[in-house]
Amino acid sequence: MVAGVDVAVVLNTTLHMITKQLDSRLPNTPMVVYTDLFSLYECLVKLGKTNEKRLMIDVMALRQSYERREIAEVRWIDRKDNPVDTMTKLNTNKALERIIDTN
């Protein structure tokens, strides 16, 4: 997740710089981060703790970005609503099918 947020920050900053140079009145694009790992969601949003030392620095960096409002929102995706599970797991859900059917 840290690598994904790093890329998103770079893209968001670049987009902001381009729109600023164009003298555009477009509002800043908020960065919303999604995770399907509920324990990570709780660590970031509900100030939970992790006992895994290798994750502590990453969680602190993400939490700091969230507190600084570099990340506008952190959302949790429930298993039944996660379309990626259809592509990565044997026990599929209907989320991807719903997306395709409803466009």
Side-chain angles (χ1 to χ4, degrees), residues 50-99:
T50 181
N51 293 328
E52 295 185 45
K53 291 182 181 181
R54 63 185 179 86
L55 296 178
M56 286 181 184
I57 294 172
D58 291 336
V59 169
M60 288 189 316
L62 289 170
R63 187 180 291 159
Q64 189 176 39
S65 292
Y66 184 61
E67 289 171 354
R68 289 181 179 171
R69 300 290 183 212
E70 295 169 344
I71 298 173
E73 190 174 354
V74 177
R75 295 182 184 172
W76 173 63
I77 303 173
D78 191 10
R79 175 179 290 166
K80 64 181 173 48
D81 299 322
N82 191 351
V84 177
D85 281 351
T86 304
M87 296 177 253
T88 60
K89 295 191 172 67
L90 292 175
N91 297 335
T92 61
N93 59 28
K94 300 290 182 186
L96 184 61
E97 187 177 323
R98 281 193 308 266
I99 289 173

Side-chain angles (χ1 to χ4, degrees), residues 4-52:
V5 169
D6 286 344
V7 171
V9 167
V10 169
L11 291 173
N12 203 9
T13 303
T14 304
L15 181 63
H16 177 67
M17 290 170 50
I18 291 170
T19 56
K20 188 176 178 181
Q21 286 182 356
L22 294 174
D23 196 33
S24 175
R25 299 193 190 277
L26 294 173
N28 288 340
T29 306
M31 185 169 48
V32 180
V33 176
Y34 290 84
T35 182
D36 63 347
L37 188 58
F38 191 71
S39 59
L40 178 60
Y41 171 78
E42 282 189 323
C43 279
L44 296 176
V45 175
K46 299 181 180 182
L47 302 178
K49 293 181 180 180
T50 181
N51 293 328
E52 295 185 45

